[in-house]
Amino acid sequence: MSHTGSTKRTSAADIGTCSCSKRTKADSEGMSMTDSASSESVDGEFSRVSDDNLDQMEVREILAKMILAHGLPFSIVEFEWFNELSRHLNPFHQNVSENTIKQDCVKLFESDKVKIKKVLQDVHRISLTCDYWMSNQTPGYLCLTAHYIDADWKLQKRIISFNELSPSYNGEIISNAIMDCLVQWGIENKIITITSALDCDGATDILRSSLEARGELHFQGFFFHLRCCAHILNLVLQDGFNKIESCLSKIREGVKYLRKEPARLVKFGEVAIQLDISTHQSLWTDVKTRWNSTYRMLQSAIYYKTAFIGYASSDPNYEWLPTDVEWENAEKVFKLLEGFDVTSLTTTLFSNTLYPTSNLLLIEIFKVKKEICEAYLSEDGFTRGMSVSMFEKFEKYWEDTSILMAVASILDPRFKQFAIQFCFEKVYSSSEASEQVKNVLAKLRALYEMYEKEYIPPSVSSGSWSKAGTRSASSSVSSSSINEDFISFMQSKWANNPPKSDLDIYLEEPVFKCKEIDVLSWWRENSVKFPILSKLARDVLCIPITTATSESDFSAGSRVLNNYRSSLTKDMIEIFVCGGDWIRASTKSELHTLQESAMAEENLEIQIPATRLISNQS
């Protein structure tokens, strides 16, 4: 809102800086609220302004953003103490009704949707993630998120659809829902991949055929449907955990038993110290569908194994002590997971504020494959039996995703082709590794040639001279044999010594020697040097390798709408989910790393309380 005159407009936040002591001083001097509003303090630290200078619409917009971003009920604006707080911060606060703020939220959503739609029109390629949310009142919701790299080469993501699924949904219904969404946003010609944790092969096959028929299937369908990395890892690791479920169940219930009574934890700590075990390490419980939490629980239980045994002998009510065989098998599973380097794996997958770019995971995933292969060849029957189903799932789901990660790894200037050589040599024979490297490079070259055809005229990309261009250039010159001879001479030179492509130059140059790098910033800075390859890198690196977000768990399992959201109409639910996501993404004020968010939500850590014995530890 514009204002005339020299009066400075003060926001609600500015007014909120007035201290209670100054307000009390004004009251004690007999000043009315109106008088004090037009006065300034002697030291000039604060001022109060008239209601005319306060933009009430701006306050309402901030309220609407707060409600959508935090998922608050509309009725909060009618809460007595909310309005009391607002009046305390701003004497000119005007109450807003529930219906009014609801309309403001709808207007804000519609306004932001127009802005995002305009942004997406200028984006070259878009990748999708497809996720499933559960509700306590309906079969569920299909959530679509668009991932893209903006004009500043920053990775962005926006939820663009949140639609209720019918009870009898199938591949065709899901495919139609996705296509309707793409058409509505005007981006049906920009989609390169769909990453999902769902088993939606039928839907993606239909969608792929539809886009191919329209001539809008990019990358020739390479990587069109990818499995979420977090989901694949969860499937693989759960197979290992299932082999020791009896032990895990006892550990889980035993930790819960200790947690219920502080005295039990104190006693457990005393037993540990008597056994010369430091109690600085916490106990952990887990959420069964979150493989990283189960790993932490298993790690802490094995660390305190003798303390559990000692505590069980002193507490007759403790009945969850694993047998010797169960402990032995649990240690074998833990040893296998240690080889995966789970800490590094979870950090790589989930330490980014938005999503990890696809170049980051190749080496971590090949650690997993190497350990599974070695377990498969183990002489220990339990280890070998456990690895069979893990190996089968890994091979079943990982093929397309691993090729994408290999291509993306090459497009990391620190690695280029050397990362895939290193990884393949760890799990294949020398000849097989060499063949695998050739296959990946061939895939990358095929992708590059597609981009070369799109961005370079055929006459230039083929290294020939355009006849039409020659006529135009020589129209003022007689068609002499000298001119024709020169053209033939240059054509032979191009044929014998064709110019090197961006890809060839990039691969031949030394790697970029830097441990940490923002790979998107590197490609932005080198986009002039590699005009074609940088466009390919931009599109490949925007492909998400996981559907997990800061609001989901590590297993990328189903998310659940709370009771309040489930009670809203389906249109209002979409406004809350999409609108809240847009606000959080635009402000970045609430974004935490995926690891931080999950840790905060889990509350699975149990610290051993300090005791007299603990304080005497050296």
Side-chain angles (χ1 to χ4, degrees):
M1 181 180 293
S2 61
H3 301 272
T4 60
S6 60
T7 304
K8 178 183 177 182
R9 183 172 68 83
T10 305
S11 69
D14 295 326
I15 293 173
T17 61
C18 302
S19 67
C20 293
S21 61
K22 292 177 179 176
R23 188 177 304 215
T24 304
K25 181 179 179 180
D27 294 340
S28 67
E29 293 174 352
M31 295 174 65
S32 67
M33 188 63 74
T34 305
D35 293 331
S36 64
S38 60
S39 69
E40 292 187 356
S41 65
V42 176
D43 58 12
E45 289 182 358
F46 72 98
S47 64
R48 295 190 177 182
V49 295
S50 66
D51 189 32
D52 292 339
N53 289 323
L54 183 64
D55 192 337
Q56 295 294 337
M57 292 304 296
E58 183 178 341
V59 173
R60 280 170 51 184
E61 182 179 338
I62 293 172
L63 276 175
K65 287 181 177 180
M66 180 184 75
I67 287 171
L68 291 181
H70 296 284
L72 302 174
F74 297 121
S75 58
I76 190 174
V77 296
E78 296 183 351
F79 290 180
E80 177 182 354
W81 285 103
F82 171 80
N83 286 298
E84 182 68 23
L85 173 64
S86 298
R87 282 189 293 271
H88 182 76
L89 297 175
N90 170 20
F92 309 109
H93 168 73
Q94 295 179 359
N95 289 5
V96 181
S97 71
E98 180 177 345
N99 285 335
T100 297
I101 202 65
K102 183 185 294 186
Q103 293 171 7
D104 288 346
C105 288
V106 173
K107 290 178 183 177
L108 179 62
F109 168 81
E110 292 174 345
S111 173
D112 284 352
K113 185 173 183 178
V114 171
K115 295 175 186 176
I116 295 171
K117 192 171 184 178
K118 186 176 184 302
V119 169
L120 293 181
Q121 296 309 307
D122 296 330
V123 172
H124 183 244
R125 295 285 184 262
I126 296 171
S127 292
L128 298 177
T129 51
C130 179
D131 209 354
Y132 180 73
W133 288 54
M134 291 166 54
S135 169
N136 58 9
Q137 296 184 15
T138 62
Y141 290 83
L142 185 70
C143 179
L144 288 180
T145 305
H147 304 256
Y148 58 94
I149 293 174
D150 63 19
D152 296 323
W153 286 77
K154 299 295 183 183
L155 186 61
Q156 303 286 349
K157 67 99 182 173
R158 299 292 186 274
I159 296 177
I160 59 173
S161 178
F162 196 81
N163 287 321
E164 182 179 328
L165 288 173
S166 65
S168 58
Y169 69 88
N170 54 30
E172 184 177 1
I173 290 174
I174 293 176
S175 174
N176 289 339
I178 294 175
M179 181 57 77
D180 289 345
C181 170
L182 300 181
V183 171
Q184 182 187 82
W185 283 88
I187 58 174
E188 67 275 14
N189 62 335
K190 297 175 181 286
I191 306 303
I192 50 177
T193 64
I194 298 178
T195 303
S196 75
L198 295 171
D199 185 11
C200 56
D201 291 347
T204 53
D205 287 345
I206 295 171
L207 197 61
R208 176 186 175 129
S209 299
S210 177
L211 292 175
E212 189 171 19
R214 299 162 64 118
E216 295 168 347
L217 185 66
H218 302 293
F219 284 3
Q220 292 184 351
F222 295 162
F223 325 128
F224 182 72
H225 180 211
L226 299 174
R227 299 278 184 175
C228 166
C229 285
H231 186 66
I232 295 173
L233 286 171
N234 187 58
L235 291 174
V236 171
L237 295 175
Q238 289 298 336
D239 273 354
F241 292 143
N242 288 340
K243 297 293 184 180
I244 57 168
E245 179 54 36
S246 62
C247 180
L248 290 176
S249 178
K250 289 178 180 179
I251 293 171
R252 189 178 297 119
E253 294 305 315
V255 172
K256 289 179 182 178
Y257 174 81
L258 294 175
R259 189 179 199 175
K260 284 181 180 179
E261 294 290 341
R264 295 172 185 166
L265 279 176
V266 171
K267 178 63 177 176
F268 182 85
E270 291 175 349
V271 170
I273 292 169
Q274 291 168 358
L275 294 169
D276 200 26
I277 301 172
S278 171
T279 56
H280 294 301
Q281 183 164 320
S282 299
L283 283 172
W284 290 83
T285 184
D286 75 333
V287 175
K288 292 181 67 175
T289 58
R290 300 180 185 176
W291 49 267
N292 67 312
S293 69
T294 304
Y295 171 81
R296 286 197 304 265
M297 182 183 75
L298 186 58
Q299 181 183 43
S300 67
I302 290 173
Y303 175 82
Y304 283 112
K305 173 183 173 181
T306 54
F308 276 108
I309 295 172
Y311 181 86
S313 64
S314 64
D315 184 348
N317 295 320
Y318 188 85
E319 54 187 42
W320 298 280
L321 184 67
T323 66
D324 290 343
V325 172
E326 288 172 335
W327 277 119
E328 182 182 352
N329 290 338
E331 288 170 349
K332 290 176 182 177
V333 171
F334 179 72
K335 183 179 179 180
L336 176 63
L337 297 181
E338 268 193 318
F340 291 177
D341 195 357
V342 172
T343 301
S344 176
L345 183 60
T346 55
T347 299
T348 303
L349 258 179
F350 307 111
S351 63
N352 294 271
T353 302
L354 293 173
Y355 285 67
T357 46
S358 49
N359 60 299
L360 297 175
L361 200 59
L362 181 71
I363 293 175
E364 302 301 333
I365 292 302
F366 267 83
K367 288 180 187 176
V368 174
K369 182 165 184 174
K370 177 177 178 292
E371 292 299 323
I372 292 176
C373 289
E374 290 182 356
Y376 190 79
L377 299 174
S378 172
E379 294 181 359
D380 180 80
F382 176 85
T383 302
R384 186 171 58 255
M386 171 184 62
S387 68
V388 172
S389 57
M390 296 174 75
F391 181 82
E392 291 174 350
K393 277 193 171 65
F394 191 98
E395 293 297 306
K396 176 181 178 181
Y397 293 117
W398 210 268
E399 183 177 0
D400 288 341
T401 306
S402 62
I403 293 175
L404 167 66
M405 289 189 297
V407 169
S409 178
I410 295 174
L411 294 173
D412 188 321
R414 299 169 299 169
F415 306 149
K416 299 194 176 180
Q417 65 269 40
F418 301 110
I420 62 174
Q421 290 174 0
F422 171 83
C423 291
F424 290 155
E425 287 173 1
K426 295 292 183 183
V427 296
Y428 299 115
S429 65
S430 178
S431 59
E432 287 178 314
S434 177
E435 192 64 29
Q436 290 288 343
V437 171
K438 289 179 182 178
N439 290 340
V440 173
L441 288 172
K443 186 79 72 175
L444 174 58
R445 198 166 294 279
L447 290 172
Y448 177 81
E449 289 172 357
M450 295 179 202
Y451 276 67
E452 198 173 43
K453 291 177 182 178
E454 181 176 356
Y455 290 102
I456 299 181
S459 59
V460 177
S461 62
S462 64
S464 63
W465 286 59
S466 170
K467 293 183 178 180
T470 302
R471 290 195 199 99
S472 175
S474 62
S475 59
S476 60
V477 182
S478 60
S479 55
S480 64
S481 60
I482 295 177
N483 191 44
E484 294 296 331
D485 288 345
F486 177 70
I487 292 174
S488 299
F489 172 78
M490 290 306 300
Q491 285 179 330
S492 66
K493 290 294 182 183
W494 276 61
N496 295 329
N497 299 289
K500 290 184 177 179
S501 67
D502 282 7
L503 179 58
D504 291 327
I505 296 172
Y506 171 77
L507 293 176
E508 290 174 5
E509 287 188 348
V511 296
F512 184 69
K513 296 179 180 179
C514 181
K515 187 174 181 181
E516 299 293 334
I517 185 178
D518 181 343
V519 69
L520 294 177
S521 294
W522 189 93
W523 278 107
R524 178 191 62 201
E525 294 164 4
N526 288 271
S527 58
V528 174
K529 183 178 181 180
F530 303 111
I532 307 301
L533 189 60
S534 63
K535 291 178 171 59
L536 173 60
R538 175 193 59 195
D539 294 341
V540 168
L541 294 172
C542 85
I543 298 174
I545 55 176
T546 174
T547 63
T549 71
S550 58
E551 293 180 298
S552 69
D553 56 49
F554 283 96
S555 68
S558 299
R559 309 174 200 171
V560 182
L561 288 177
N562 60 33
N563 291 335
Y564 172 67
R565 288 191 182 183
S566 295
S567 67
L568 299 172
T569 65
K570 62 180 182 179
D571 290 338
M572 194 56 67
I573 289 175
E574 183 169 44
I575 288 174
F576 260 100
V577 174
C578 296
D581 172 74
W582 301 343
I583 293 166
R584 289 188 295 270
S586 63
T587 61
K588 298 189 185 330
S589 59
E590 290 190 316
L591 294 178
H592 303 285
T593 67
L594 306 183
Q595 199 168 20
E596 288 169 347
S597 298
M599 290 285 285
E601 292 169 4
E602 287 173 354
N603 190 28
L604 303 177
E605 184 178 10
I606 302 131
Q607 294 183 340
I608 308 298
T611 67
R612 185 169 54 215
L613 285 171
I614 293 175
S615 64
N616 292 331
Q617 291 185 101
S618 56

